[in-house]
Amino acid sequence: MTPSRRALLAAMAGGVLAGCAGPQSTIDRSATVTGSPSTSAAITTSTSSPGRSPAATAPTATASSASHAVTRADIIARYGHAVPRTWGFDAPTVVHALPTARRVIALTFDACGGPGGSGYDRALIDFLRRREIPATLFINSRWIDANPAIFRRLAAEPLFEIANHGTRHRPLSVTGRSAYGIPGTRSAAEVYDEISGNQSKLTRLLGTPPRFFRSGTAYCDDVAARIVTALGERFVSFSVNGDGGATFTPEQVRTTVAAAPGGSIVICHMNHPRGGTARGITAAVPQLLATGHSFTRLSDALH
């Protein structure tokens, strides 16, 4: 990996971290990052035309069965001695973009939970409702616990789909690697716990298992990414860092998101109402619509 490549990934990770560290983060707010974090990421889905079906695509029988059949003991036996070869955003099987060249964009919003991360950006969600903009919401277990009534309403709205943002919001590692001061999971067993704890909660609350997973900071190693797959979910990263972890000004959010090319997966945050995300998205979305772009939930684009 070249020094410039490392610098790019570091800037992107810093923004993701800030969304859970609070708006007072010292991360450089000028680090507007656009473009795929992986030039070699494997997109294993078939090309399709993302739609805006009001009903979420049901998890496949294979994914649902896998998540229920694989136990913690299975994961330890299968991956307990595996040695990771990658760390960052570039693990095989991680999805960074939509498999289409059309002007379709997936807006994704993280709700990280925990100290400094359990707020609710009502203005952002209300804007998406008014303009009927579909989105995928990656929600952490702690955020659900802090906002049960809001979660129930979001989960009941066909405009949105709920995805798994982990149980304790940890970078996903089998060796204890950390990302920007946030300790990572330390073993295959802890990776299982991070994924399955919130997976079980979401399955109970939604009636079906979540299809997609994103770790805290979006960092993972290749062994941990394979565990996500074994548990019936797909690890989804991003290609456009839309709000720098809720540290960008409204204008920075607007310019970054409005410049997103077709096929982008945009990451922003819905847990920092005092940040610039809502105003930036409110300005960027009409610009994108005016240039012929449309928006999709991940489940309508990834099959």
Side-chain angles (χ1 to χ4, degrees):
M1 184 181 295
T2 64
S4 61
R5 176 80 170 149
R6 284 193 293 270
L8 172 62
L9 294 181
M12 297 181 80
V16 177
L17 165 68
C20 305
Q24 291 76 29
S25 170
T26 58
I27 293 169
D28 182 5
R29 295 166 64 98
S30 66
T32 302
V33 181
T34 312
S36 171
S38 173
T39 57
S40 60
I43 305 296
T44 58
T45 58
S46 59
T47 302
S48 62
S49 298
R52 292 184 55 177
S53 167
T57 303
T60 64
T62 300
S64 178
S65 300
S67 64
H68 286 85
V70 179
T71 67
R72 193 175 194 267
D74 293 332
I75 292 299
I76 294 171
R78 191 182 308 176
Y79 299 102
H81 298 290
V83 178
R85 294 176 294 176
T86 67
W87 176 244
F89 300 113
D90 286 332
T93 76
V94 173
V95 178
H96 297 92
L98 305 180
T100 179
R102 298 174 62 242
R103 293 184 178 182
V104 181
I105 293 172
L107 294 179
T108 70
F109 297 94
D110 287 1
C112 307
S118 290
Y120 173 53
D121 198 336
R122 185 181 303 276
L124 169 67
I125 298 299
D126 284 347
F127 168 76
L128 298 176
R129 288 176 177 137
R130 288 195 307 271
R131 296 302 298 261
E132 298 184 344
I133 303 298
T136 300
L137 312 180
F138 283 85
I139 299 185
N140 182 264
S141 180
R142 300 173 304 172
W143 194 93
I144 297 172
D145 293 341
N147 302 278
I150 294 170
F151 175 82
R152 286 194 298 270
R153 181 178 178 189
L154 292 171
E157 297 185 60
L159 193 64
F160 306 125
E161 70 174 328
I162 307 299
N164 186 353
H165 197 34
T167 304
R168 297 187 301 153
H169 195 265
R170 296 290 189 245
L172 217 59
S173 167
V174 296
T175 61
R177 303 257 331 235
S178 299
Y180 289 84
I182 297 181
T185 50
R186 298 171 295 179
S187 64
E190 288 194 5
V191 170
Y192 175 91
D193 294 340
E194 179 66 13
I195 301 163
S196 68
N198 200 37
Q199 182 185 63
S200 296
K201 179 184 294 236
L202 290 173
T203 301
R204 184 177 68 253
L205 294 171
L206 302 174
T208 56
R211 291 184 58 190
F212 306 107
F213 177 88
R214 178 182 289 150
S215 65
T217 74
Y219 261 78
C220 70
D221 63 40
D222 56 304
V223 177
R226 294 203 301 273
I227 295 174
V228 173
T229 302
L231 292 178
E233 299 185 27
R234 301 183 68 184
F235 196 117
V236 175
S237 187
F238 59 95
S239 56
V240 175
N241 187 347
D243 66 357
T247 67
F248 283 180
T249 65
E251 179 60 16
Q252 287 176 313
V253 175
R254 183 194 69 78
T255 56
T256 303
V257 176
S264 294
I265 296 176
V266 178
I267 184 175
C268 289
H269 290 77
M270 55 171 281
N271 59 319
H272 284 292
R274 296 181 181 179
T277 303
R279 284 178 290 166
I281 291 291
T282 299
V285 164
Q287 288 185 245
L288 286 165
L289 291 171
T291 54
H293 291 79
S294 62
F295 299 91
T296 183
R297 300 172 308 172
L298 290 174
S299 62
D300 295 320
L302 301 174
H303 301 289

